[in-house]
């Protein structure tokens, strides 16, 4: 008599490269005694990449090999784990994905694994923008096409008194330039080509391109930006204007202008000069605090921190799934990250405010539309260069650290905190600041792994440290909500309890929280 069995099934019938799908593995104890130390091995085919798991087992991955620990299965019982995989670039069109899971002598093969289909080429658009001239044109292309750039005449674009010089992906000429007849390999995004012009008047040499200087209040709460009405030729000297419109920002001090909104560019004081080579925007710099705080670092507050604060109330900000599972080791999506920080924003009227956003993939039909629109309005969350937000994509550890750091002053340090985060990494300032504050500690090997997806457990640990929130084992109440996939042996158990219960508290003699009243997120 067969006492044990293992099965493997999936609902997916066809998949394409880039798709994710879920299959389930069920281990069944048909005997009359407990089945102990049940560990399955699932070797993924090369076409699959492990993403995450949920269910009655702990899954660890080592390359293509998954180790699935079901623990003990009682007599007559079954346990099931749901595994999400990604179809990667190794997939071969026409093949069926089949691989076998084993537990000792027990084997389970998905007999109806999905067939790999050819991925349909995505259609995009090349837009031609007259950029001060007249006329417009667009053409449909597909990803991977080698597209030949057209002339202004062939797309009906002209500008009186100007001579066309080239196309550029930015209106101010600061992007990538293309001449008519050159080629573009179409990527996974639309592209706009802006006409670049030289004035045909004066100087007898066909004229020269002129540039403007614009000023941006960068989160100001009052006053107006100065206006520079001059047009500058390339290489001309620009004198930076003063704060003539009396820009103000509540609780901050105006400290000059910077060529980048996040303060990472060049800073200029009023009366300073620079040589202009393209249309330039100067962003107001806002500071608070003081320098020289000791330890070789200084604390600044610039335009990375447009919101004042997160709430000091200990409200819930993460909750479980419908199956009463919290998924501590699941990856967090960008939309879920936005929802967490929106819940924690210290703004009692935020639900009554109405904002829109400029992301091409976030509309009112998305459940996270309001949260993303609100945070984007204050520059807390930023999208990608192609104009997308990608709410359903997993968020990296660097991206999450950056968002968290925009709610506080940045602590600048001379040395980088982690060996795998170099000075050239886009998030190095945020990561160093979060490390200096003790919000992040990295891994035991001294790395931070900035581009690795952040898990839900890692998320609440970071946020709790940022908010100085902590529940200790000694002060754990007796009747907290119990998740089906979490117990006190998990390293983040107390962080998750802290994050999923709204509570009032006192501090004991050790300055630890003692909850005086509490409720679960869904109560």
């Amino acid at each position: 008599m067969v006492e044990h069995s293992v099965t493997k099934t999936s609902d997916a019938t066809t998949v394409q490269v880039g798709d994710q799908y879920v299959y389930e593995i069920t281990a069944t104890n048909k005997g009359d005694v407990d089945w102990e130390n049940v560990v399955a091995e699932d070797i993924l085919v090369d076409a699959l990449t492990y993403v995450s798991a949920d269910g009655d087992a702990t899954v660890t991955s080592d390359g293509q090999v998954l180790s699935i620990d079901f623990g003990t299965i009682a007599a007559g019982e079954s346990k099931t784990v749901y595994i999400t995989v990604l179809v990667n670039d190794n997939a071969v069109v026409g093949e069926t994905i089949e691989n076998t899971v084993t537990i000792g002598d027990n084997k389970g093969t998905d007999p109806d694994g999905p067939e790999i289909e050819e991925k349909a080429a995505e259609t995009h658009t090349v837009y031609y923008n007259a950029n001060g001239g007249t006329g417009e044109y667009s053409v449909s292309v597909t990803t991977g096409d080698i597209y030949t750039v057209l002339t202004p005449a062939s797309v009906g674009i002209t500008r009186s008194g100007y001579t066309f010089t080239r196309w550029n992906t930015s209106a101010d000429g600061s992007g990538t330039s293309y001449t008519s007849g050159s080629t573009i390999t179409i990527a996974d995004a639309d592209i706009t080509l802006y006409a670049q012009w030289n004035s045909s008047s004066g100087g007898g040499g066909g004229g020269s391109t002129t540039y403007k200087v614009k000023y941006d209040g960068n989160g100001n709460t009052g006053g107006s930006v100065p206006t520079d009405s001059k047009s500058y030729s390339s290489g001309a000297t620009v004198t930076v204007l003063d704060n003539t419109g009396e820009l103000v920002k509540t609780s901050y001090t105006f400290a000059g202008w910077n060529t980048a909104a996040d303060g990472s560019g060049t800073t200029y004081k009023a009366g300073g000069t620079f040589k202009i080579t393209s249309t330039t925007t100067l962003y107001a710099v806002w500071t608070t605090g003081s320098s020289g705080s000791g330890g070789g670092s200084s604390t600044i507050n610039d335009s990375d921190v447009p919101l004042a604060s997160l709430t000091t109330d200990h409200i819930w900000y993460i909750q479980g799934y419908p199956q009463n599972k919290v998924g501590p080791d699941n990856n967090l999506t960008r939309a879920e990250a936005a929802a967490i920080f929106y819940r924690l924003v210290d703004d009692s009227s935020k639900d009554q405010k109405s904002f829109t956003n400029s992301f091409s993939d976030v509309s009112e039909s998305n459940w996270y539309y309001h949260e993303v629109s609100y945070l984007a309005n204050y520059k807390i969350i930023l999208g990608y260069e192609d104009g997308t937000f990608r709410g359903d994509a997993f968020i990296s550890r660097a991206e999450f650290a950056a968002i968290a750091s925009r709610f506080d002053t940045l602590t600048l340090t001379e040395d980088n905190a982690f060996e795998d985060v170099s000075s050239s990494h886009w998030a190095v300032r945020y990561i160093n600041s979060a490390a200096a504050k003790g919000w992040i500690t990295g891994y035991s090997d001294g790395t931070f792994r900035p581009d690795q997806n952040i898990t839900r457990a890692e998320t609440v640990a970071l946020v709790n440290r940022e908010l100085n929130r902590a529940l200790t084992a000694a002060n754990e109440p007796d009747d907290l909500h119990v998740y089906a996939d979490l117990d006190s042996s998990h390293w983040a158990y107390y962080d998750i309890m802290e994050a999923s219960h709204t509570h009032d508290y006192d501090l004991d003699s050790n300055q630890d929280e003692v909850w005086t009243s509490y409720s679960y997120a869904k109560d």
Side-chain angles (χ1 to χ4, degrees), residues 285-502:
V285 176
W286 302 102
T287 64
T288 188
S290 61
S291 61
S293 58
S297 66
S298 63
T299 302
I300 67 166
N301 195 306
D302 61 11
S303 56
D304 285 316
V305 289
L307 284 185
S309 64
L310 298 171
T311 182
T312 57
D313 294 333
H314 286 206
I315 62 172
W316 73 267
Y317 62 87
I318 195 168
Q319 59 183 333
Y321 298 115
Q323 304 90 345
N324 190 36
K325 296 177 180 179
V326 71
D329 300 315
N330 291 356
N331 294 327
L332 190 78
T333 68
R334 290 170 56 80
E336 288 172 331
I340 285 173
F341 282 111
Y342 176 80
R343 292 183 191 122
L344 292 170
V345 168
D346 189 16
D347 181 356
S348 60
S349 64
K350 62 189 174 188
D351 291 337
Q352 286 72 52
K353 293 179 179 179
S354 178
F355 293 106
T356 59
N357 68 80
S358 60
F359 301 125
S360 62
D361 59 345
V362 180
S363 66
E364 293 186 24
S365 63
N366 295 113
W367 67 264
Y368 47 83
Y369 174 81
H370 180 74
E371 291 87 344
V372 168
S373 299
Y374 181 95
L375 295 177
N377 180 73
Y378 291 101
K379 300 181 181 179
I380 289 297
I381 57 173
L382 308 174
Y384 294 93
E385 292 182 355
D386 62 0
T388 61
F389 175 67
R390 307 177 194 175
D392 295 327
F394 296 132
I395 189 168
S396 72
R397 289 165 57 81
E399 289 172 330
F400 195 87
I403 294 174
S405 295
R406 294 188 184 115
F407 283 97
D408 198 3
T409 59
L410 289 184
T411 297
L412 301 184
T413 60
E414 294 181 359
D415 299 320
N416 294 334
F418 302 102
E419 62 184 34
D420 61 339
V421 182
S422 68
S423 298
S424 62
H425 193 284
W426 69 268
V428 64
R429 292 186 309 142
Y430 303 116
I431 293 169
N432 286 343
S433 180
K437 297 177 191 302
W439 301 348
I440 55 177
T441 56
Y443 294 95
S444 58
D445 61 359
T447 63
F448 179 67
R449 306 174 196 174
D451 301 319
Q452 178 174 296
N453 296 329
I454 193 170
T455 67
R456 288 163 63 85
E458 291 171 334
T459 295
V460 297
L462 188 158
V463 173
N464 285 345
R465 293 188 195 109
E466 179 173 6
L467 299 177
N468 196 28
R469 292 175 55 167
L471 173 66
T472 62
N475 292 339
E476 179 186 3
D478 293 331
D479 55 348
L480 294 183
H481 181 80
V482 177
Y483 291 109
D485 59 346
L486 181 73
D487 60 37
S488 59
S489 65
H490 193 284
W491 70 269
Y493 171 80
Y494 294 102
D495 275 315
I496 292 172
M497 291 296 104
E498 173 74 36
S500 57
H501 292 79
T502 295

Side-chain angles (χ1 to χ4, degrees), residues 98-253:
E98 292 185 0
N99 58 302
T100 300
V101 60
T102 60
I103 305 178
D105 295 331
N106 301 279
K107 296 183 178 181
T109 302
D110 184 358
D112 300 310
E115 180 180 343
I116 301 170
E117 291 184 327
E118 184 173 4
K119 187 173 184 179
E122 295 185 6
T123 300
H124 301 288
T125 303
V126 177
Y127 297 96
Y128 288 84
N129 187 299
N131 198 21
T134 58
E136 60 181 13
Y137 183 78
S138 64
V139 59
S140 294
V141 292
T142 55
T143 301
D145 281 355
I146 306 298
Y147 177 72
T148 301
V149 178
L150 303 177
T151 65
S154 64
V155 297
I157 286 178
T158 60
R159 187 177 183 184
S160 178
Y162 288 80
T163 301
F164 173 82
T165 61
R166 64 196 182 282
W167 302 100
N168 194 279
T169 54
S170 295
D172 64 2
S174 61
T176 303
S177 292
Y178 296 97
T179 57
S180 300
S182 62
T183 59
I184 302 173
T185 301
I186 302 301
D188 289 327
D190 296 343
I191 183 172
T192 299
L193 299 177
Y194 296 89
Q196 303 296 300
W197 307 96
N198 276 349
S199 173
S200 299
S201 61
S208 61
T209 302
T210 58
Y211 303 109
K212 304 288 289 184
V213 177
K214 305 174 183 178
Y215 290 82
D216 188 305
N218 207 17
N220 63 298
T221 56
S224 59
V225 296
T227 300
D228 188 343
S229 59
K230 297 179 181 178
S231 295
Y232 299 90
S233 60
S234 181
T237 298
V238 175
T239 300
V240 177
L241 301 180
D242 200 352
N243 183 15
T244 55
E246 298 182 344
L247 287 174
V248 293
K249 182 177 179 181
T250 304
S251 302
Y252 296 89
T253 302

